[in-house]
Amino acid sequence: MTLWIHEARLLLRQRLAIVSLGLLAVLTVAALVSGMAQVSRQRAAIAAIPAAQAEDIGAIAAWVDKEKDAGSAAYYSFHPTWDAPSPLAFTALGMRDVSPYILRVRALGLEAQIYDGDTFNPELALPGRFDFAFVLVFLAPLFVIALCHDLTSGEREAGRWRTLAALPHGGAALWRRRTLLRAALLWAAIGVPFAIAALMSGVAAGAIIVILLLVVAYLLFWVGLSALIGRLRWSSVANAASLAALWLVLVLVLPTLGHVAINRAIPVNQGAEIALAQREAVNHAWDIPREETMRAFYANHPQWADSPPLGTAFHYKWYFAFHQVGDESVAGRARAYRQGLEVRDRAARSLGWVLPTVGVQAMLTRMARTDLVAQIAYRDRVRDYHRRLRQFYYGYIFRDRPFGKADFNRAPRFDAAI
Amino acid sequence: MNPATLIARDELRLMRRNRVAVIACLLLVLLTLVAVASSWAHQRGIEDLRARHQQEAEHAFDAQPDRHPHRMVHYGTFIFRPLSALAAFDPGVDAFTGNSMFLEGHRQNTANFGDVNQSSLLIRFGQLTPAFVLQAVAPLLLIFLGYGAIARETERGTLRVLLMQGATRGAIVRGKLRALGTVALLVALPAILGLMMLAGASGAAILPAAAIVLGYAAWLLLWITVIVLVSAMVGRSRDALLALVAIWAVSVVLLPRVAPDIASAAVPLKNRLQTEVAIARDLRRLGDAHNPNDPHFAAFKQSVLQRYVVKRVEDLPVNYKGLLAVEGEKVTSALFDRYSGESYAAQGSQNAIVGAVGMFSPAIALRSLSMAAAGTDFAAHRGFLEQAEAYRYDLIQRLNRLQADGVTYADDTASDAGADRRKRIAAGNWEKMPDFTYRAPDGATLAAHALPGLAVVTGWLILAGVLLAFAARRLGRHPGERR
């Protein structure tokens, strides 16, 4: 134990070590604070939904109540859905800055609504977010390199190496002690602020432990890489240079190459094509006999087939039917689009088995539920909710039941449970 | 031969002998070539796709059958943003903005289907483009090649020898700068050539391409100067390397990510739900075209009746419902413009905050210079959105006027069995609607937008040059020098 304390004292006498560890801790705290601020802004935006929604629906209800027309109610009412950030979201903001976490839908064609984005500033999103995942994946390795690149070469250059190797508890045991001590201090600089922030945010203990282990593993990867380079017996400067080059390749060059390769290898039909096709299907309905649309609709939804036949005047049930038929006509494309995205995502994840940088980022965003999988899951919940909305309004429209003020409160509410 | 040339040659010979350095240079050149090729192919693919979609959308619009004009207002149209000529060099925010827009009546939609939502998580690590290589990777290579340029000589005592042999301090510094400059030129050449090809192919982009070349030249020169400066100031090459890598990591990797967080915390952006609810509220206040008793539209009706000197809307020579549609669209569009203007302004001030941080991180300034000149920054995207909105408004109003002039009020309000038929107007009208043509900003405008960034990078270059001149004078008298 005294040997460890002695080593620690030696290490902490170096200005570079103190500055590095302090800086890393400060950066970690800053990233955590920034992530938490971001998440709390998102929570606040979600918390503000009910008031805005009540105002909006209230005005529509007051106006619809006069005619009691269920079709108008369904047409004009937007219903909010939201994707609340998970307790861990602050560690890795992932896609949450560029994909919507609030989306209002109405009972019309869903394919024309579900890909809508929210307002965001593209120039701010471009460089990527400054969050815990960034500090861990991008910055922490640089600190490992700074502290570990000259463990043996430095002693050799100072002419102490032989002496140290000959000491009792020297040699391999000494280097192991020094390496582990550095790794442990770096881990503490990252892990302690994280653990505190996670506890404050109510993250489950299991998740905290997993992430702390992930940090250990990732740091050990870089420590191991430094040790490997150190064995080549180059000068300290050559070690630092080659480690920094490795960092560049692993953190920036290979992931970007991987991105190009994946997008090239797995073509995804552009989402715009779904929108184009859906619009054609929906608008085509105006040019064909209305009965044709109704037949197509009733074939898939026999529960409404006993609705009275259409008269000559406009009826909302026809309008909603052709929107749904339009959705159904592009269902195959929508599925293919989604599958394409999933395949791309899986390919990126499997790249994570080879590239620890990608692996850690993927794992953190997965645990934080801020990745593409989470985004697709949110879309699924919106789809499910939209189905219930249609069901609800059809009950009025197809049965010609009046839709009054009180009925607005009966509309299904989005279930935010993940 | 003057001493500076000799020193430059000597330094280059040393780099040539260093196998790692040669391999690194080759790899970087290779990476640049891959970036140029893949980015170019990618952009070409996108361009073709968008052009095809645009054509399909226009064709579909023109091919619509006889319709009531208001049907076409809802049918709307899709437009696709064409890429700028230099987007293959620096695609900027293109992947994040979405490239297709659905334009329809009563609504102002946002651009959809950005690449960022259609790619794997890897897109957030950065995109492999020539701009990325020159912005991030090339400086690091120069650091590895040059950190020891002077520190090494100081460390080994060879600096003294050089000085005693009659080389002036200035000549030593110039020689080292020249050697590194040669390497920089070598690694930048493929990207610059690629850029020239892009600019040449489009013809119109000579000025912005020149701005980009100037900007990156200043950027690489800045790094060379900083490298020699640090190498001269710090006695040991080890410290020089660590300091330079730290400067690089902070200015190129860290600050560009921190600045947006500061900006988004300082200037909040209204989300879509808030905006839509606010617009609906304002609309209710302004008037409701569906409500016959609405004061705003009652006044409008009165003014129309007065203008045509008739008592009832039925007696008007034009279709009152069409006029109402024109008026309604005017009211809603003015509101949309107000809200989108607010959002643009907020995003503009966010970007201004990032720009202010850019004073301390020339990497940010360079990035905005590069995007601005390539026509792929937020300003260019905003230009597209505004043109799209102007086009949407014009198209919808044309359709509304067709309703006013081409459909009679009696038919428009009828609901008998044959009414639907009588409400329709000939399909030939759709073809007469103008197509959307995006007017890209001209080269001079793009180049002008790049000037602020260029000024910042150049300012840093001058500052570093002055510091280097001071450091050069103290060269060899460094207290930390080892004997």
Side-chain angles (χ1 to χ4, degrees):
Chain A
M1 204 57 219
T2 47
L3 277 175
W4 284 91
I5 292 168
H6 175 67
E7 280 300 337
R9 215 178 284 148
L10 265 184
L11 176 68
L12 296 181
R13 218 177 277 162
Q14 296 177 31
R15 209 164 30 146
L16 175 74
I18 290 291
V19 171
S20 310
L21 289 168
L23 187 61
L24 182 59
V26 167
L27 285 171
T28 310
V29 170
L32 289 167
V33 168
S34 148
M36 286 164 96
Q38 193 96 353
V39 166
S40 75
R41 273 203 295 278
Q42 297 190 356
R43 290 223 169 87
I46 291 172
I49 295 176
Q53 188 60 23
E55 178 197 339
D56 204 43
I57 285 285
I60 296 171
W63 163 70
V64 166
D65 194 51
K66 290 175 202 148
E67 307 244 323
K68 303 233 187 303
D69 179 17
S72 296
Y75 184 89
Y76 289 100
S77 307
F78 283 90
H79 300 264
T81 72
W82 58 94
D83 182 23
S86 74
L88 257 179
F90 70 93
T91 56
L93 297 165
M95 307 272 283
R96 286 188 72 91
D97 59 337
V98 292
S99 54
Y101 58 88
I102 298 175
L103 186 68
R104 294 205 305 168
V105 291
R106 46 180 176 165
L108 294 181
L110 181 64
E111 294 298 331
Q113 307 178 59
I114 199 163
Y115 305 108
D116 277 348
D118 211 323
T119 321
F120 71 93
N121 183 341
E123 266 191 40
L124 297 194
L126 178 62
R129 288 261 85 105
F130 176 65
D131 53 13
F132 176 75
F134 168 73
V135 170
L136 177 63
V137 173
F138 279 70
L139 299 183
L142 287 172
F143 288 88
V144 174
I145 294 171
L147 287 186
C148 295
H149 73 279
D150 61 347
L151 273 184
T152 49
S153 58
E155 300 293 356
R156 204 182 304 122
E157 277 154 18
R160 288 189 295 259
W161 193 70
R162 279 177 187 286
T163 324
L164 286 172
L167 282 178
H169 307 291
L174 176 72
W175 308 132
R176 213 177 307 134
R177 225 164 30 235
R178 290 195 166 172
T179 314
L180 285 181
L181 182 70
R182 278 161 178 74
L185 286 174
L186 285 167
W187 178 73
I190 299 173
V192 171
F194 161 75
I196 293 171
L199 285 173
M200 275 165 56
S201 308
V203 178
I208 298 181
I209 291 167
V210 170
I211 290 184
L212 288 175
L213 289 176
L214 186 71
V215 176
V216 171
Y218 188 63
L219 288 177
L220 282 182
F221 166 77
W222 284 100
V223 168
L225 212 57
S226 309
L228 272 181
I229 297 286
R231 290 180 71 128
L232 297 173
R233 292 174 166 264
W234 289 341
S235 67
S236 297
V237 176
N239 287 349
S242 40
L243 282 168
L246 273 174
W247 176 85
L248 179 75
V249 168
L250 286 172
V251 158
L252 286 174
V253 175
L254 286 182
T256 43
L257 276 174
H259 169 61
V260 172
I262 287 177
N263 278 14
R264 193 56 54 83
I266 307 160
V268 168
N269 270 342
Q270 296 286 311
E273 287 173 7
I274 304 176
L276 281 170
Q278 197 257 5
R279 179 185 64 146
E280 284 311 312
V282 164
N283 282 278
H284 184 57
W286 289 89
D287 306 314
I288 55 173
R290 296 195 286 177
E291 288 66 33
E292 210 170 291
T293 303
M294 296 317 287
R295 260 200 305 281
F297 176 75
Y298 290 140
N300 285 333
H301 309 279
Q303 68 268 40
W304 310 113
D306 55 349
S307 175
L310 292 170
T312 53
F314 173 84
H315 197 294
Y316 261 119
K317 68 184 169 195
W318 167 67
Y319 189 82
F320 280 91
F322 74 63
H323 271 267
Q324 183 146 14
V325 171
D327 273 356
E328 282 159 10
S329 74
V330 294
R333 279 179 205 249
R335 234 182 345 261
Y337 178 65
R338 173 206 164 116
Q339 269 162 8
L341 297 185
E342 283 173 337
V343 173
R344 276 186 178 176
D345 189 57
R346 270 203 297 278
R349 270 164 207 289
S350 44
L351 193 65
W353 291 108
V354 200
L355 289 180
T357 45
V358 175
V360 170
Q361 178 82 26
M363 185 153 166
L364 279 178
T365 48
R366 184 77 285 267
M367 288 181 71
R369 296 204 199 97
T370 55
D371 57 353
L372 186 85
V373 176
Q375 199 197 327
I376 290 179
Y378 172 49
R379 261 185 213 162
D380 283 346
R381 280 183 291 133
V382 175
R383 279 182 196 284
D384 187 53
Y385 174 60
H386 189 261
R387 205 170 298 132
R388 291 198 292 137
L389 270 184
R390 273 179 163 154
Q391 198 75 13
F392 168 74
Y393 283 114
Y394 289 176
Y396 291 86
I397 300 173
F398 282 85
R399 303 280 178 253
D400 290 317
R401 278 162 55 198
F403 198 99
K405 216 170 207 165
D407 295 294
F408 279 92
N409 292 326
R410 295 201 184 97
R413 283 172 202 275
F414 181 69
D415 179 14
I418 299 170
Chain B
M1 219 180 278
N2 72 44
T5 316
L6 281 173
I7 288 165
R9 278 196 175 183
D10 188 54
E11 183 75 22
L12 281 171
R13 194 171 58 227
L14 209 70
M15 286 184 206
R16 251 202 320 274
R17 263 195 234 145
N18 180 349
R19 235 178 315 144
V20 181
V22 173
I23 293 173
C25 274
L26 286 179
L27 279 181
L28 186 71
V29 170
L30 197 69
L31 189 70
T32 317
L33 289 176
V34 172
V36 170
S38 88
S39 184
W40 189 71
H42 180 61
Q43 303 302 321
R44 278 296 298 275
I46 293 185
E47 225 171 273
D48 290 348
L49 195 74
R50 292 187 196 174
R52 208 183 67 225
H53 283 161
Q54 185 67 67
Q55 238 175 353
E56 275 171 27
E58 280 166 16
H59 176 76
F61 188 90
D62 292 346
Q64 289 303 302
D66 293 2
R67 284 249 165 100
H68 185 278
H70 196 69
R71 285 298 340 121
M72 293 303 280
V73 166
H74 282 279
Y75 178 76
T77 189
F78 273 92
I79 59 167
F80 293 83
R81 177 183 172 190
L83 281 172
S84 70
L86 301 179
F89 179 81
D90 187 346
V93 296
D94 182 71
F96 289 80
T97 51
N99 45 51
S100 71
M101 259 183 108
F102 181 51
L103 308 180
E104 58 182 322
H106 325 317
R107 248 174 106 79
Q108 200 176 48
N109 289 316
T110 48
N112 271 350
F113 300 113
D115 257 358
V116 67
N117 290 321
Q118 305 189 140
S119 298
S120 64
L121 70 116
L122 295 174
I123 193 171
R124 302 312 286 275
F125 280 85
Q127 289 163 284
L128 187 64
T129 62
F132 168 76
V133 175
L134 288 185
Q135 281 170 18
V137 189
L140 205 56
L141 177 82
L142 290 175
I143 289 175
F144 290 144
L145 293 179
Y147 68 90
I150 292 179
R152 185 187 63 233
E153 312 264 14
T154 321
E155 212 168 30
R156 293 184 188 157
T158 42
L159 187 66
R160 272 283 143 92
V161 181
L162 276 176
L163 287 172
M164 278 192 292
Q165 282 175 340
T168 61
R169 298 189 163 87
I172 295 174
V173 168
R174 277 197 303 279
K176 303 290 186 186
L177 283 175
R178 209 180 293 173
L180 271 178
T182 312
V183 180
L185 196 63
L186 183 78
V187 296
L189 211 55
I192 301 295
L193 285 179
L195 180 70
M196 290 304 177
M197 265 162 44
L198 287 172
S202 73
I206 301 299
L207 271 180
I212 289 179
V213 172
L214 271 180
Y216 282 94
W219 168 246
L220 292 180
L221 263 178
L222 170 63
W223 273 105
I224 293 166
T225 314
V226 168
I227 289 166
V228 175
L229 175 67
V230 171
S231 190
M233 280 170 55
V234 180
R236 292 188 303 173
S237 42
R238 182 198 123 113
D239 295 347
L241 179 65
L242 284 178
L244 284 166
V245 171
I247 292 174
W248 179 86
V250 169
S251 66
V252 177
V253 182
L254 186 63
L255 277 181
R257 286 199 180 221
V258 174
D261 276 324
I262 298 171
S264 63
V267 183
L269 215 55
K270 258 196 192 153
N271 65 34
R272 204 179 154 130
L273 184 138
Q274 288 172 314
T275 310
E276 284 179 355
V277 169
I279 288 179
R281 180 193 308 139
D282 288 356
L283 275 180
R284 282 194 295 275
R285 221 170 275 155
L286 273 175
D288 176 7
H290 292 284
N291 179 0
N293 303 322
D294 180 83
H296 176 91
F297 286 94
F300 172 72
K301 186 172 168 184
Q302 212 46 51
S303 76
V304 170
L305 293 179
Q306 265 165 21
R307 195 173 346 133
Y308 287 96
V309 208
V310 290
K311 287 257 163 353
R312 303 179 313 148
V313 288
E314 287 80 0
D315 303 334
L316 286 170
V318 290
N319 177 0
Y320 178 69
K321 285 186 82 174
L323 296 183
L324 206 57
V326 171
E327 175 68 13
E329 194 65 39
K330 200 173 95 192
V331 170
T332 51
S333 294
L335 261 187
F336 294 148
D337 285 347
R338 208 182 84 211
Y339 279 93
S340 60
E342 277 172 16
S343 178
Y344 293 151
Q347 297 186 48
S349 33
Q350 288 182 336
N351 293 341
I353 292 175
V354 174
V357 180
M359 300 293 241
F360 305 98
S361 157
I364 295 177
L366 175 79
R367 205 186 58 200
S368 59
L369 172 171
S370 174
M371 288 195 296
T376 54
D377 61 346
F378 172 71
H381 181 60
R382 177 181 171 172
F384 166 73
L385 293 178
E386 284 171 346
Q387 286 182 33
E389 172 55 19
Y391 172 76
R392 182 195 76 83
Y393 185 68
D394 176 67
L395 178 76
I396 300 303
Q397 293 300 47
R398 277 169 194 266
L399 290 168
N400 284 336
R401 275 192 291 275
L402 276 180
Q403 184 184 359
D405 299 332
V407 185
T408 66
Y409 186 72
D411 285 342
D412 220 356
T413 46
S415 61
D416 57 288
D420 185 53
R421 197 60 257 157
R422 298 199 304 276
K423 285 178 196 180
R424 300 184 179 214
I425 64 167
N429 283 300
W430 318 141
E431 274 173 48
K432 289 186 205 130
M433 295 287 133
D435 289 335
F436 177 69
T437 40
Y438 172 60
R439 292 180 312 282
D442 61 19
T445 315
L446 290 177
H449 284 167
L451 286 182
L454 192 60
V456 172
V457 180
T458 317
W460 274 91
L461 178 58
I462 291 169
L463 179 69
V466 170
L467 287 177
L468 181 59
F470 273 111
R473 274 203 275 166
R474 291 178 48 226
L475 207 59
R477 298 183 204 135
H478 199 283
E481 182 202 334
R482 293 178 174 185
R483 270 154 235 265

